[in-house]
Amino acid sequence: MKRRAFTLAESLVGMFILAVAVLGVLACLIFAQRAERQAANDYQVAAVARGVMAEILANLRLSQQSFQVSQSCPRSPIVSHPELEYQIDDSLVGPRSKKVHLVIYYKNQQGTPCQSAYWTEVYNAIQD
Amino acid sequence: MLFTCLFVVLCLYAVCSVIFANSQLDLRMQVFSEKQTQTELLAQAALNRCLREANETAGWETSHTVAAGTAWDPPPYQAAPMVIDSAAPAQGYGWIEKTADPNQVLVRGYCRLDGQCVLSSATCLRRPQSNAQVYMPQNQPGHLPQVYQFDRGTSNWSALPPVPSLLWRQTPPGPEVLRNSSPPGLGQPGFAQVAHFPLADDAGNFYETIYYSAADLASVADATRLDYLVRHPTGGSDWEILPPVPLEGYVNSLSGTPTLVATLSTDPDRQICLGAANKNQLIVGQRSQASGVVTLYRLDDPTQQGARYSLTADSMTPLAGATAWTALPYCPEANWTTSATLTVQANQAASKLTSLSMDKAANLYGLLDKPVNQQDVLVYYSAATGQWSFLHSPPSFAYGYDTSDRWTVQRIPEVPEKLVETAVDPDGNLYCVWRRTGFDIDSVFKFCPDGTTPAAGGFLAGTWKVLPAAPRSHYNRFGTLVQNPRATCPQFNSMAIDSTGCLYLKCSPFISYLTQSLDQVVYSWDCATGGEKIDKILPPIPEVITDPDYSQPTLYKQVNSGLVNSGSLQLAAGGIQSTTQVRIVPVSYFSQ
């Protein structure tokens, strides 16, 4: 039995459906790539924030004298991550308690300046 | 064709869905990581706020303590939640959980922020509120002996008044002040000329031993002995003399066990050489110079024994107590053999017990000093059973530096032979220093007993740990701290632990060729919380010169020389522990 070939109309409709589908996949891929970059960027910001905060707390561990010294720092670049900047502001809320504010400045994928703010409170139980 | 295309499109749709879901997850994680970090920090803030309130607000702990194992969601918080961030909808909670150990608690901080919940915990110890002190006595040639006292509350060094030349007569038994003309022709100063072996307890008392020569006591025919223990209570201006230690000591015999044998009061063979103190008991060791055997004596309730001498009123006031010294059982001789087994001679009293430390339960740790090429022996005396046992030697670890110049601990094929110092912290852990033969770097070890009581002659069970290294540092004569973080402190010649559990290590004097002086520092390290390095250093000691005022036997002159003291050899640490107030101290001070 002789098989009939595709008509032009059939081929055009098929190609159109495939093109739409491929474009959808491409759009998805682009969106996924952007989202991944954004997530990685924000992960890095959060990780850097944890690291900076840990360093501040390590400095405060030294003694009651160093606890009284302000850890405040104006907006400055982070040496290990030059694309990021940080700012520290601390204040004593008691003779042995201190509130530490940390802001990380960065740019998102679109190049828009963004910032993430964190704070915590530390208590120095060292009996000097 | 159409069906084929539709099938392909269906497959592509499935791929798209997966990619899209993955992207959504990434985006959610992005928000999650930032919020999670902030929520964790706020939970830590809640925990630290909880610590602050517990330590600084009366009654807070009682109203915010729950039993162990209580469900925490919803938080078992007995008061309104703390609002820990007024700018964000964050709610923080803090409470204290009891544990099976009454001295240990769990401090919890809990925060809820935008659907994120984080619980932060810190294991904490209850420590008595304590004002710690460190003492460093010094015999200064040509001047009166000096005792420097460091108060951790004020971070200041000060000088104690000189020790009056107190002694104890035999007939009638009682204390007296010796007033010899020394040096001859310069009046009659009533101050002791030589003092050694500092001790401090956790009730604010400082002890040391003053020594006389037979010539000094020539005018006192019935002096009890040549050396006497004196005490200085914190905050007081007067020194007190303790009842004399009996002039008896263990003597080994060829047949049978060692017996206590008395000697003459002026016999210089028996001298007080070491000791240990807590607020209830004082233990001193009296060594026979001839045989090296040390006899330990215990005095109960020592702060009530003896007599107080007021320098200003020149008067003696007997204290109320009437407890006598009691001899402890002798420590048996023991030696490590080359096959790493301990040979114990139960019928021989040990010679050369060179270090003694006591925990709060009055158990003793000591060190038997052995000749060169023999391994020193660590001994343990149980106050409960009255029996001596032994400790295994510390592991063979020494300090070194890795390729990144960070200090490391390295195992070395060497047996720790020379142990030079011991000290015990308030939790009953032993610290000792190993001096490597042929090397100038001491290793500091900590022994944590497992709490079991060993059998007589057996071994105390526990584990050894190595403490961090101390960077090399010294003060020059003008008080400037000189540090070399790439080098390790070579040797420690004294070690003590204060009433708060802070370990002090005195570095062996460093010979400065520029200033022609011996420079030294005292490191401090908290036993409970530790640190990556032993790098906290006490301030320099302003040198004080004390001389008698020869015009009046009870007057003296203390002058600050303007330089830094550099000649102290020994260290003692103690303090005043409150019996009612406690502090809650995290095992790691900051919970991050």
Side-chain angles (χ1 to χ4, degrees), chain A residues 6 10-11 13-15 17-18 21-22 24-25 28-29 31-32 35-36 38-39 42-43 46 49-50 53-54 57 60-62 65 67 93 95-97 99 106 115-128, chain B residues 1-2 5 8-9 12 16 19-20 23-24 26-27 29-30 33-34 36-38 40-42 44-45 48-49 51-52 55-56 84-85 128-131 152-153 155 500 529-531 536 583-586 588-590 592:
Chain A
F6 293 123
E10 281 176 333
S11 300
V13 170
M15 285 171 70
I17 293 172
L18 274 175
V22 168
V25 171
C28 260
L29 280 172
F31 173 76
E36 194 180 332
Q38 183 72 29
D42 283 27
Y43 259 130
R50 283 167 189 259
M53 199 61 105
L57 298 182
L60 290 173
R61 276 195 66 169
L62 292 175
Q65 281 79 22
F67 195 83
V93 289
R96 290 177 173 274
S97 280
K99 204 175 225 183
Y106 63 101
Q115 64 181 59
S116 287
Y118 306 88
W119 75 268
T120 192
E121 192 172 309
V122 288
Y123 178 72
N124 180 9
I126 300 172
Q127 197 175 359
D128 278 332
Chain B
M1 171 69 183
L2 197 59
C5 283
V8 171
V9 168
L12 290 174
C16 276
I19 294 171
F20 193 74
S23 308
Q24 288 288 327
D26 278 352
L27 284 172
M29 290 294 283
Q30 155 203 332
S33 66
E34 187 183 342
Q36 176 76 7
T37 304
Q38 180 57 84
E40 280 177 23
L41 289 170
L42 291 178
Q44 295 288 349
N48 286 318
R49 181 85 60 88
L51 269 173
R52 185 180 91 189
N55 281 325
E56 295 177 7
I84 58 171
D85 189 355
Q129 190 85 7
S130 185
N131 185 24
R152 271 185 69 192
S155 279
T500 65
T529 58
K536 291 183 192 170
R583 288 181 65 76
I584 295 181
V585 182
S588 173
Y589 280 137
F590 298 110
Q592 293 210 358

Side-chain angles (χ1 to χ4, degrees), chain B residues 312-329:
Chain B
T312 47
D314 192 13
S315 64
M316 197 77 75
T317 310
L319 299 175
T323 309
W325 291 93
T326 311
L328 296 187

Side-chain angles (χ1 to χ4, degrees), chain A residues 63-85:
Chain A
S63 70
Q64 183 63 27
Q65 281 79 22
S66 66
F67 195 83
Q68 303 295 330
V69 177
S70 174
Q71 305 286 318
S72 293
C73 167
R75 188 169 165 172
S76 336
I78 296 171
V79 178
S80 57
H81 297 83
E83 71 279 15
L84 303 179
E85 291 183 314

Side-chain angles (χ1 to χ4, degrees), chain B residues 109-453:
Chain B
Y110 173 80
C111 182
R112 187 182 294 151
L113 174 64
D114 287 351
Q116 306 279 337
C117 301
V118 173
L119 175 73
S120 185
S121 305
T123 305
C124 298
L125 300 172
R126 287 181 199 278
R127 284 286 169 86
Q129 190 85 7
S130 185
N131 185 24
Q133 269 112 25
V134 183
Y135 300 90
M136 286 181 75
Q138 184 186 14
N139 287 299
Q140 295 166 302
H143 305 283
L144 293 179
Q146 187 62 64
V147 180
Y148 298 96
Q149 182 192 47
F150 178 74
D151 187 290
R152 271 185 69 192
T154 60
S155 279
N156 282 330
W157 287 97
S158 57
L160 296 187
V163 188
S165 46
L166 299 163
L167 57 85
W168 203 279
R169 279 182 179 273
Q170 293 182 46
T171 48
E176 193 173 300
V177 182
L178 176 72
R179 296 223 175 88
N180 273 343
S181 180
S182 176
L186 276 178
Q188 297 183 327
F191 298 102
Q193 303 293 315
V194 183
H196 278 303
F197 301 115
L199 299 172
D201 65 14
D202 50 7
N205 297 294
F206 169 73
Y207 299 88
E208 67 177 346
T209 306
I210 55 176
Y211 293 85
Y212 300 102
S213 65
D216 287 338
L217 296 184
S219 62
V220 191
D222 59 346
T224 316
R225 52 183 298 146
L226 295 175
D227 50 0
Y228 298 91
L229 275 155
V230 290
R231 174 178 56 236
H232 187 273
T234 295
S237 58
D238 300 333
W239 285 87
E240 298 165 0
I241 181 169
L242 276 82
V245 179
L247 268 171
E248 290 184 341
Y250 285 108
V251 174
N252 285 322
S253 65
L254 293 174
S255 56
T257 55
T259 50
L260 282 171
V261 175
T263 186
L264 296 174
S265 62
T266 51
D267 187 347
D269 182 62
R270 300 274 163 75
Q271 288 200 340
I272 295 167
C273 61
L274 74 171
N278 64 23
K279 61 185 170 190
N280 299 318
Q281 288 183 331
L282 174 67
I283 310 275
V284 293
Q286 178 170 244
R287 176 181 291 129
S288 162
Q289 302 297 317
S291 67
V293 173
V294 173
T295 307
L296 297 179
Y297 279 92
R298 187 187 76 222
L299 184 66
D300 294 328
D301 204 7
T303 56
Q304 295 302 312
Q305 319 298 327
R308 178 177 300 134
Y309 173 68
S310 167
L311 202 60
T312 47
D314 192 13
S315 64
M316 197 77 75
T317 310
L319 299 175
T323 309
W325 291 93
T326 311
L328 296 187
Y330 65 88
C331 174
E333 184 66 281
N335 290 289
W336 289 104
T337 65
T338 49
S339 56
T341 53
L342 190 71
T343 308
V344 180
Q345 296 166 270
N347 289 337
Q348 291 283 305
S351 61
K352 292 196 176 175
L353 180 68
T354 54
S355 181
L356 197 68
S357 312
M358 180 160 56
D359 65 18
K360 59 186 173 190
N363 301 311
L364 297 175
Y365 291 90
L367 182 61
L368 301 184
D369 184 38
K370 298 294 171 185
V372 178
N373 295 331
Q374 284 188 35
Q375 202 175 339
D376 291 347
V377 180
L378 284 163
V379 295
Y380 173 79
Y381 174 78
S382 166
T385 64
Q387 290 176 328
W388 288 92
S389 49
F390 303 91
L391 274 78
H392 288 288
S393 289
S396 303
F397 286 110
Y399 301 132
Y401 284 84
D402 65 11
T403 50
S404 307
D405 272 349
R406 287 178 303 193
W407 77 272
T408 57
V409 173
Q410 298 163 349
R411 183 177 275 280
I412 52 168
E414 196 176 314
V415 176
E417 284 181 352
K418 287 295 119 200
L419 303 173
V420 288
E421 279 289 326
T422 63
V424 177
D425 71 16
D427 299 322
N429 303 307
L430 172 74
Y431 296 78
C432 73
V433 176
W434 169 34
R435 181 156 300 162
R436 273 180 86 188
T437 310
F439 289 84
D440 64 350
I441 297 179
D442 288 348
S443 302
V444 188
F445 293 95
K446 175 182 184 178
F447 178 78
C448 307
D450 68 356
T452 56
T453 305

